[in-house]
Amino acid sequence: MVSAPHEAMHRIFQDHPGLFSGVSEVLGVDFGPLVGVTILPTDLTESRPVERRVDTLLRVETQDGGSYLLAIEAQGKKDPAKPASWTYYLSYLHTKYRLPPVLLVVCQDRATAEWATLPVDIGPPQWPSITLRPLVVGPHNMPVITDAAEVRKDLALATLSLITHGADKDPDVILKAMTTALRETPETIKNPIVELISQGLGNLPAAALWRKLVAVDLSFYKSPLSEEIRDEGRAEGRAEGRAEGRAEDILFILELRGIAVSEDVRGRITGCDNTETLLGWLARALTTPSAEGLFSDE
């Protein structure tokens, strides 16, 4: 039950809203004169469930017997709404677990990482009640590891470094150091790392290079990514074979019909890798009066 002193200590501000001006003067914080006050509902309970999820949440036990919560968020771009969400996460976690929470934000984009690093004050500028200060890792502060021996010392750190630097202009040296290090790594460790890097690079240009390096340098891997790459290679090989065969058939038919083929036309036919286009040219090769007539409707 709420005590009378408890009630009086806050109720006086409802009855005399201007009191805060005098209190702030006593505290030495200038909020300026009040020109209006509205009493709002005091019930802060959520009126309906709102789904809020942190990307990863870990409880960490320290050597000295302490504990803290590590909330990890992956951030792909600047989002003005995120600081409010992050502040809510930390407040909720502290209330629920009664442990100090730490927020770690991981970024691939340098501008996003630098934005996320900035402290965010919650409250008026004269006296912020909460200051959000996430730890941030990204291309602005993660080391660029280009030596295979350094990669082997800490594969997890090297993997995160590679992912955060995935958008760099010249990632080939970083990727090559990783594949070199993984050659001597047990399969139970290296296969998940191969998959993590592929997932982490997403649609970045470096992803295509990574897949090629896995296919060439790590072709003995039995990971899903390696199998996928080998399947793609076999499919590409079959497609290339079909294209070459159709190009040869077109030239053979034109030769049998006594139709001259210029170097430009020959190069266009042999340089085409679209099997459907080649099939159309093959049909026209049977009736066209000239080699250039293959492309008459283009």
Side-chain angles (χ1 to χ4, degrees):
M1 184 174 181
V2 176
S3 67
H6 176 278
E7 185 73 11
M9 282 188 290
H10 70 82
R11 181 62 183 270
I12 189 172
F13 287 92
Q14 296 181 25
D15 296 343
H16 304 277
L19 173 61
F20 184 62
S21 290
V23 171
S24 62
E25 185 177 339
V26 170
L27 296 175
V29 184
D30 182 15
F31 282 91
L34 306 183
V35 295
V37 175
T38 302
I39 298 177
L40 300 176
T42 58
D43 187 357
L44 304 183
T45 306
E46 297 276 3
S47 59
R48 58 188 176 85
V50 177
E51 184 174 351
R52 300 179 188 271
R53 295 179 183 273
V54 67
D55 289 338
T56 290
L57 180 62
L58 306 174
R59 174 172 175 154
V60 180
E61 311 294 338
T62 61
Q63 193 172 26
D64 60 4
S67 302
Y68 63 90
L69 300 175
L70 180 59
I72 305 166
E73 285 276 283
Q75 191 65 26
K77 61 182 180 180
K78 298 178 184 179
D79 183 352
K82 270 297 182 179
S85 297
W86 291 338
T87 304
Y88 179 93
Y89 297 164
L90 296 177
S91 176
Y92 175 85
L93 291 171
H94 184 261
T95 301
K96 180 177 181 179
Y97 293 98
R98 296 297 177 182
L99 290 173
V102 177
L103 174 63
L104 176 67
V105 180
V106 184
C107 307
Q108 274 185 320
D109 175 68
R110 183 178 298 271
T112 301
E114 292 173 348
W115 161 80
T117 302
L118 298 174
V120 176
D121 291 332
I122 309 296
Q126 300 94 328
W127 194 266
S129 299
I130 300 173
T131 299
L132 175 70
R133 296 178 61 218
L135 292 171
V136 181
V137 295
H140 69 301
N141 60 6
M142 284 295 286
V144 178
I145 303 177
T146 59
D147 182 74
E150 291 298 314
V151 172
R152 293 188 195 99
K153 288 181 182 178
D154 194 331
L155 275 172
L157 180 66
T159 299
L160 179 61
S161 172
L162 192 157
I163 291 172
T164 56
H165 286 284
D168 287 2
K169 293 182 179 179
D170 300 308
D172 51 328
V173 179
I174 308 173
L175 297 175
K176 188 66 177 178
M178 177 60 73
T179 55
T180 301
L182 288 178
R183 288 176 188 165
E184 302 174 10
T185 303
E187 280 194 17
T188 54
I189 297 174
K190 69 189 169 193
N191 285 345
I193 287 178
V194 168
E195 306 299 328
L196 263 176
I197 293 173
S198 179
Q199 183 180 8
L201 294 178
N203 295 322
L204 293 171
L209 178 57
W210 173 245
R211 294 168 76 85
K212 289 179 182 178
L213 285 172
V214 169
V216 174
D217 292 354
L218 311 177
S219 58
F220 52 87
Y221 281 5
K222 298 299 181 184
S223 69
L225 175 62
S226 298
E227 292 299 324
E228 181 183 334
I229 290 172
R230 281 193 285 273
D231 289 343
E232 288 177 357
R234 286 190 285 267
E236 288 174 3
R238 288 193 294 269
E240 289 174 3
R242 286 196 296 271
E244 290 175 4
R246 285 181 179 171
E248 290 173 0
D249 290 341
I250 292 168
L251 293 172
F252 179 68
I253 290 173
L254 293 175
E255 182 181 348
L256 281 179
R257 294 184 61 216
I259 295 176
V261 179
S262 67
E263 288 302 316
D264 288 343
V265 170
R266 183 180 299 274
R268 184 169 178 182
I269 294 171
T270 58
C272 180
D273 58 4
N274 187 309
T275 55
E276 293 303 316
T277 299
L278 288 165
L279 184 60
W281 292 348
L282 181 61
R284 289 194 207 106
L286 297 169
T287 58
T288 182
S290 67
E292 288 76 12
L294 294 174
F295 321 122
S296 58
D297 65 342
E298 298 177 13

